[in-house]
């Protein structure tokens, strides 16, 4: 067993559209995931942060083998996914489970909680025998804080929190090593979110699980993640230890995200990013963030000599033409993909005054 | 109307926790019988099936015995339906013919089901060339008229009951295949399918355990509807002499035989014809009732007792708004006093908003914070005069908007009030805009109501509105369609529509929760700008405390339909005094000091609408009550504590 639960190397997934008939134009390519590398040590929690359209959900599906990569490699527990056939992949899925955002939609409406959990055991032929399975189901339901009375209920008869608990029970009943959690609490009520976060943290400890959390909620990341990758248009613009990325973000995009989530006092306009994320079908040249980057505009205004005029305003030439490379922070705990990261203030955006 | 959206009337989310004993499998039947057409259809279908089973036992005469002494007799006591050209008893023949007739229908539908459904599911599952091949073949089959296609098949195979079943079955295969493919595709897109796949379930298991049970409702409905047309096709073939061969009775064949006597002895055709039409009607009614249940689009359309709601509204005293308030300062843009709202449920009224008081002065922003089921959205809809009176009853209190009552209005007075004073922005901008109209047309519609501007002035005003909400190049954008805009831009357009009539009050229901974080900030900054420029009052409903901290002046925290803490944002969020507000603050992750430590979660879940505990509604989850009897005895009144209103007997205790 290797020390890393998941290793992703230069992972890419491109979706190729249909070439328009009677046109010489090449088929459009959406670069959903584009050259992403990271490793998740066993027992740690890795968070993938991004807006919708950043490719974070595609990345999650690559990790569990629901999507095949266009290039690159995912190694789970020392086993490369590409080397596995359909049966091998299904066997591997016992060890790496996906928990989806909306438990209302992710549980089959026609199956009771018992049937749902029983199916998970039946699929992998675990705990054969009626009695053994019923026992395993009873244990698991207790682990997630539900009572045996909930087993006969159908998803629509459960509250939002109970449904997410049932979905978590389904994921852990086969004793997996890794949970991939896609927005695990964003569909839940605020007071219930904390319960589910606590439950997940407790299960991670008790069952020695490795977590990959996909979310847009940086407050959640700060709370539960050990390491984080910030995704923008299919690439990690910043990745590293969670406290470094959250407390001292180096990439302007991460800085904007942090400003947007923290309890800033009055309506802090400083943190407002202009525009919206471009389509992955037309990724901007150079640094893909240049169309929205507030820092690039400031730098261009300071040094107009090395700036070019673009439809998005005056921007440094390097940002528009050159792909930035990933550079490590001085303390080595995080890397960011920005030409000017060393010139930006890295202090965490202002928190609400006490 | 200046309300920008809200075409969907959410059904109140009540009674989701039906007793576990009421299992799903019988609920379908109950819902069929609950509809008049379902009850009639089901009864008739059962009668027809009984007829098919027991018909031969009931026949008073031998249906094959010819009696040339009594041919073509009119109905009489001995021969209820008369006799035919060979002197056979028509009544007995009709009874015995039921089995053959319905048998052909059942056989044909079964045949079509067994071939069509697997084909459709296969096409949806495998996609690619299999899908293309199956669908093209089916398109070709569908391009022939049904009866001609069936005729051709029988002509090739030869006339017999069995071949008629095959013929009418083959004709229906494409319909089953297409439907099965469409519903399978939509089920395959459901997250729980992905959930099972990631669990490691095999394709076979996914199809058998997840897809088939979930498409069965639609396919059952389709079978019932197709049964009627199959029956008619089969009888058509029988009429042409290609079906069941004489002397065996079958209603279509009988109709065919009676053709020569249609002028002299019309009753000969009447009885088999009536039975045939009746059976088609029965299955159609049943299918229609099933469709109402399984078609999600029509599911919420069945609403009971609108007239009862109208009566109740009339019955209440009309002069409730004549209560002058001793106000100081400018009149509030909206003033709500002791408002009580209830859902009309099958079992009576479920109170959802309980004695809410609130005022918003012009230029101020009030945020109503609460979890799902707290009644915050219902409150907003009531203030927006958008609450559907068939679903929500005002059981007490007043709503004054700019001094005018918003309750007990006639529909036209309500529309007028809404148009002049209220703008509404809903959560889901994507569904608030009509996809087939340009946004110019949609904004113009909102601008034009109640004014007589000419076309150029309307266009001018639309362009102004668009630039007000920060959309550049408005002239060109007016000609674009909603799908050409991103989510954030659509929300801006919805806001522009809400502003079209210069409302004094802007109501926003979770205006940013469907948007990405960076876009949320843009929309909030925009709303703040607009509000400052226009001096509007804004009521925003949200569950996001960060948003409240950034955007609102005042905050009202709702729990189980009542406001538990209400005051200035700085006071309420920085030093909450109600245990629920304190718990909400503590439950939110964030802050470097708490990384990795358990959050202070609130135990339990918010109570269900209409199922409140006695006394203080928050008592079962409260950290402060410590079982003190006061909390269980009565609902705590809202009192001024430390500069804000708090509804807790022990608000003085424990500053957070």
């Amino acid at each position: 067993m290797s020390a890393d639960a998941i290793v992703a190397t230069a992972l890419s997934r491109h979706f190729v559209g249909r070439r328009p008939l009677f046109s010489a134009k090449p088929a459009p390519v959406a670069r959903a995931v584009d050259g992403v590398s990271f490793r998740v040590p066993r027992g740690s929690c890795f968070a993938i942060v991004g807006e919708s359209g950043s490719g974070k959900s595609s990345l999650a599906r690559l990790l569990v083998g629901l999507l095949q990569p266009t290039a690159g490699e995912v190694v789970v527990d020392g086993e490369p996914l590409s080397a596995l056939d359909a049966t091998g992949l299904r066997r591997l899925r016992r060890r790496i489970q996906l928990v989806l955002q909306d438990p209302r939609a992710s549980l089959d409406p026609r199956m009771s909680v018992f049937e749902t959990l029983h199916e998970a055991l039946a699929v992998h032929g675990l705990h054969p025998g009626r009695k053994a399975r019923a026992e395993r189901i009873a244990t698991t339901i207790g682990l997630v804080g539900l009572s045996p009375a909930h087993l006969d209920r159908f998803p629509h008869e459960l509250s939002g929190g109970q449904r997410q608990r049932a979905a978590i029970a389904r994921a852990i009943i086969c004793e997996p090593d890794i949970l991939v959690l896609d927005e695990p609490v964003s569909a839940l009520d605020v007071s219930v979110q904390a319960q589910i976060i606590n439950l997940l943290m407790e299960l991670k400890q008790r069952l020695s699980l490795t977590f990959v959390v996909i979310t847009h909620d940086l407050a959640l990341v700060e709370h539960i993640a050990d390491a984080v990758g910030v995704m923008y248009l299919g690439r990690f613009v910043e990745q590293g230890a969670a406290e470094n990325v959250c407390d001292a973000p180096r990439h302007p995009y991460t800085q904007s995200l942090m400003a947007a989530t923290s309890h800033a006092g009055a309506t802090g306009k400083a943190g407002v990013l202009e525009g919206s994320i471009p389509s992955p079908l037309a990724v901007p040249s150079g640094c893909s963030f240049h169309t929205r980057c507030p820092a690039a505009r400031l730098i261009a205004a300071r040094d107009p000599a090395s700036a070019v005029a673009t439809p998005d305003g005056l921007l440094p030439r390097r940002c528009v033409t050159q792909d930035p490379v990933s550079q490590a922070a001085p303390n080595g705990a995080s890397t960011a993909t920005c030409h000017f990261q060393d010139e930006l203030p890295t202090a965490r955006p202002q928190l609400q005054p006490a | 109307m200046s309300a920008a959206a809200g075409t969907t009337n959410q059904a109140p989310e009540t009674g989701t926790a039906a007793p576990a004993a009421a299992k799903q499998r019988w609920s379908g039947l109950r819902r069929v019988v609950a509809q008049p057409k379902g009850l009639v259809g089901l009864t008739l279908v059962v009668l027809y099936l009984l007829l098919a089973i027991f018909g031969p036992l009931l026949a008073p005469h031998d249906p094959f015995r010819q009696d040339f002494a009594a041919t073509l007799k009119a109905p009489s006591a001995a021969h209820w339906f008369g006799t035919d050209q060979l002197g056979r008893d028509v009544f007995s023949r009709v009874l015995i013919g039921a089995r053959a007739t319905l048998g052909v229908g059942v056989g044909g539908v079964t045949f079509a089901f067994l071939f069509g459904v697997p084909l459709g599911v296969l096409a949806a599952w495998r996609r690619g060339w299999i899908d293309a091949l199956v669908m093209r073949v089916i398109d070709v089959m569908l391009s022939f008229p049904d009866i001609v296609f069936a005729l051709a098949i029988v002509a090739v195979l030869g006339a017999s009951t069995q071949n008629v079943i095959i013929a009418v079955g083959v004709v229906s295969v494409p319909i089953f295949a297409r439907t099965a493919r469409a519903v399978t595709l939509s089920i395959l897109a459901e997250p729980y399918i992905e959930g099972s796949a990631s669990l490691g379930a095999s394709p076979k298991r996914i199809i058998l355990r997840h897809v088939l049970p979930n498409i069965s409702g639609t396919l059952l409905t389709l079978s019932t509807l197709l049964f009627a047309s199959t029956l008619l096709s089969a009888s058509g073939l029988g009429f042409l002499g290609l079906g069941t061969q004489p002397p065996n009775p079958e209603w279509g064949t009988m109709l065919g035989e009676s053709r020569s006597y249609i002028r002299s002895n019309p009753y000969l055709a009447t009885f088999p014809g009536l039975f045939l039409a009746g059976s088609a009607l029965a299955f159609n009614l049943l299918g229609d009732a099933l469709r109402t249940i399984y078609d999600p689009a029509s599911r919420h359309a069945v609403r009971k007792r609108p007239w009862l709601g109208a009566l109740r509204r009339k019955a209440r005293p009309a002069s409730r708004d004549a209560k002058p308030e001793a106000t100081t300062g400018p009149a509030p843009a909206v003033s709500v006093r002791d408002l009580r709202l209830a859902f009309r449920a099958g079992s009576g009224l479920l109170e959802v908003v309980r004695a809410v008081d609130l005022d918003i002065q012009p230029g101020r922003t009030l945020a109503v914070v609460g979890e799902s089921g707290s009644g915050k959205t219902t409150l907003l809809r009531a203030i927006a005069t958008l609450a559907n009176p068939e679903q929500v009853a005002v059981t007490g209190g007043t709503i004054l908007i700019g001094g005018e009552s918003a309750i007990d209005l006639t529909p036209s007075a309500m529309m007028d009030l809404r148009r002049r004073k209220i703008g509404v922005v809903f959560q889901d901008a994507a569904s608030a805009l009509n996809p087939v109209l340009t946004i110019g047309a949609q904004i113009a519609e909102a601008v034009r109501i109640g004014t007589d501007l000419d076309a150029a002035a309307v266009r001018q005003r639309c362009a102004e509105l668009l630039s007000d909400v920060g959309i550049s190049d408005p002239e060109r954008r007016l000609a674009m369609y909603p799908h050409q805009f991103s989510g954030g831009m659509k929300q801006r357009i919805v806001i522009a529509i809400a502003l079209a009539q210069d409302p004094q009050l802007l109501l926003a229901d979770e205006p940013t929760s469907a948007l990405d974080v960076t876009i949320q900030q843009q929309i909030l900054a925009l709303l703040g700008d607009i509000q400052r420029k226009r001096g509007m009052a804004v009521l925003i409903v949200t569950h996001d405390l960060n948003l409240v901290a950034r955007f609102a002046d005042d905050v009202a925290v709702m729990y189980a339909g009542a406001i538990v803490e209400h005051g200035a944002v700085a006071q309420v969020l920085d030093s909450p005094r109600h245990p629920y507000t304190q718990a909400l603050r503590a439950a939110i992750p964030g802050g470097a000091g708490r990384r990795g430590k358990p959050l202070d979660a609130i135990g339990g879940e918010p109570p269900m609408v209409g199922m409140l505990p006695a006394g203080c509604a928050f008592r079962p989850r409260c950290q402060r009550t410590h079982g003190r009897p006061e909390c269980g005895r009565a609902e705590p009144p809202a009192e001024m504590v430390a500069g804000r209103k708090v509804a807790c007997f022990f608000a003085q205790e424990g500053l957070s």
Side-chain angles (χ1 to χ4, degrees), chain A residues 50-52 61 64 66 90 93-94 96-98 100 104-111 115-116 119-120 122-124 152-154 156-162 165 170 174 189-192 194-195 197-198 201 216-217 219-220 222-225 242-243 246-247 253 256-257 259-269 271-277 292 348 352-353, chain B residues 13 16-25 190-203 205-206 209-211 213-217 294 370-373 376 486 489 515-522 524-525 529 532 543-546 549-551 573-574 580 584-585 587-592 594-606 621:
Chain A
E51 295 178 83
S52 52
R61 280 150 189 76
V64 297
L66 283 175
R90 275 213 290 281
R93 291 215 174 108
R94 184 187 70 72
I96 176 164
Q97 290 283 331
L98 186 64
L100 295 167
R104 182 186 281 264
S106 65
L107 297 171
D108 189 329
R110 280 166 196 268
M111 282 189 161
E115 288 168 321
T116 299
E119 179 184 41
V123 161
H124 295 289
D152 294 332
R153 306 247 179 108
F154 287 88
H156 72 271
E157 295 168 340
L158 298 172
S159 70
Q162 289 168 344
R165 286 173 194 270
R170 175 175 68 172
C174 297
D189 273 325
V190 185
S191 69
V192 180
Q195 295 173 10
I197 294 172
N198 285 349
M201 300 291 281
H216 65 273
D217 181 357
L220 173 66
E222 257 199 293
H223 190 76
I224 69 171
E243 61 246 41
C246 292
D247 288 346
Y253 179 62
S256 312
L257 280 185
T261 20
S262 63
H263 297 251
T267 46
K269 254 198 139 180
V272 177
L273 265 191
E274 308 255 320
S276 52
I277 192 165
R292 301 174 75 195
R348 185 191 171 120
Q352 190 176 25
Chain B
E13 225 189 296
T16 40
K23 280 291 162 59
Q24 290 196 320
R25 47 194 67 110
E190 291 284 341
Y192 57 81
I193 298 294
E194 189 172 47
S196 308
S198 72
L199 196 65
S202 61
R205 172 177 276 274
I206 289 178
R209 296 298 304 274
H210 295 288
V211 175
N214 280 297
I215 66 175
S216 60
Y294 288 111
E371 300 180 88
S372 53
K376 58 186 195 303
S486 65
M489 291 294 248
L515 303 171
D516 278 318
V517 270
T518 59
I519 310 299
Q520 285 184 8
Q521 301 308 311
Q522 296 172 3
L524 286 180
D529 278 350
R532 267 190 296 283
H543 64 271
D544 183 349
L545 285 180
N546 285 343
R550 281 160 171 261
F551 181 65
L573 291 193
D574 285 351
Y580 176 61
L584 271 189
R585 283 279 289 154
I588 295 171
R594 300 197 303 172
R595 182 168 294 150
K597 302 209 179 90
L599 296 165
D600 303 320
I602 314 177
E605 310 227 0
R621 305 174 74 192

Side-chain angles (χ1 to χ4, degrees), chain B residues 212-530:
Chain B
L212 286 184
N214 280 297
I215 66 175
S216 60
T218 313
L219 293 178
L220 180 66
T221 309
L222 182 69
S223 303
T224 328
L225 290 173
L226 273 184
F227 185 84
S229 69
T230 305
L231 205 61
L232 294 183
S233 297
S235 297
L237 294 176
F239 179 84
L240 296 172
L242 295 170
T244 307
Q245 292 304 302
N248 287 327
E250 190 266 342
W251 297 340
T253 314
M254 289 168 73
L255 276 177
E257 288 174 21
S258 70
R259 188 166 36 172
S260 326
Y261 311 96
I262 193 87
R263 282 173 200 282
S264 52
N265 305 79
Y267 60 86
L268 209 49
T270 306
F271 294 106
L274 276 180
F275 271 75
L276 193 56
S279 64
L281 177 71
F283 279 94
N284 252 326
L285 283 174
L286 180 63
D288 223 33
L290 284 170
R291 181 159 59 191
T292 317
I293 293 172
Y294 288 111
D295 182 4
S298 59
R299 189 172 284 184
H300 292 300
V302 212
R303 279 273 143 208
K304 290 186 285 181
R305 297 177 297 165
W307 51 271
L308 204 62
L311 275 184
R312 268 196 209 146
R313 246 180 305 150
K314 285 227 178 75
R316 289 189 301 109
S319 60
R320 197 185 281 120
D321 50 325
K323 206 200 293 172
E325 287 270 334
T327 48
T328 51
V334 58
S335 173
V336 173
R337 284 287 166 277
D338 196 32
L339 184 67
R340 290 167 186 276
L341 303 171
F343 287 145
R344 298 182 198 278
S347 50
L349 293 175
L350 296 175
E351 200 159 48
V352 63
V353 168
R354 305 177 299 130
V356 162
D357 288 344
L358 53 88
D359 286 313
I360 313 174
Q361 302 295 338
R364 301 279 289 180
T365 300
L366 172 71
V368 174
V369 184
E371 300 180 88
S372 53
S374 64
K376 58 186 195 303
T377 296
T378 313
L379 173 66
L380 177 129
R381 298 188 78 92
I383 296 175
T385 68
L386 288 173
N388 181 349
E390 289 164 26
Q391 289 173 357
V392 179
V394 180
T395 51
T398 57
I399 303 173
L400 297 183
I401 292 170
E404 290 180 54
S405 173
I407 303 178
D408 290 323
L409 295 178
T410 62
S412 65
M414 197 180 280
M415 287 257 285
D416 186 55
L417 174 71
R418 198 187 298 154
R419 176 182 68 74
R420 285 181 292 116
K421 302 206 162 165
I422 305 171
V424 187
V425 177
F426 283 96
Q427 175 176 356
D428 189 2
S431 60
L433 295 171
N434 185 338
V436 301
L437 292 179
T438 64
I439 62 150
Q442 298 184 54
I443 303 175
E445 190 184 1
V447 169
R448 218 178 285 125
I449 303 170
T451 63
D452 45 5
L453 295 173
D454 61 47
V458 167
R459 203 171 167 76
Q460 169 76 21
R461 178 95 182 97
C462 292
E464 279 168 25
L465 283 169
L466 272 196
S467 36
D468 281 357
V469 296
I471 295 183
S472 57
D473 196 5
E475 292 289 345
R476 191 173 60 87
R477 308 275 186 136
L478 283 177
M480 290 165 66
Y481 289 89
H483 72 267
Q484 293 169 293
F485 294 90
S486 65
M489 291 294 248
K490 274 185 219 153
Q491 191 61 291
R492 284 169 190 266
I493 293 162
V494 170
I495 293 173
I497 294 175
L499 296 176
Q501 298 276 346
D502 281 324
Q504 300 167 5
L505 172 65
L506 187 71
L507 301 162
D509 186 4
E510 303 269 11
T512 62
S513 40
L515 303 171
D516 278 318
V517 270
T518 59
I519 310 299
Q520 285 184 8
Q521 301 308 311
Q522 296 172 3
I523 297 292
L524 286 180
L526 171 75
L527 280 175
D529 278 350
I530 292 173

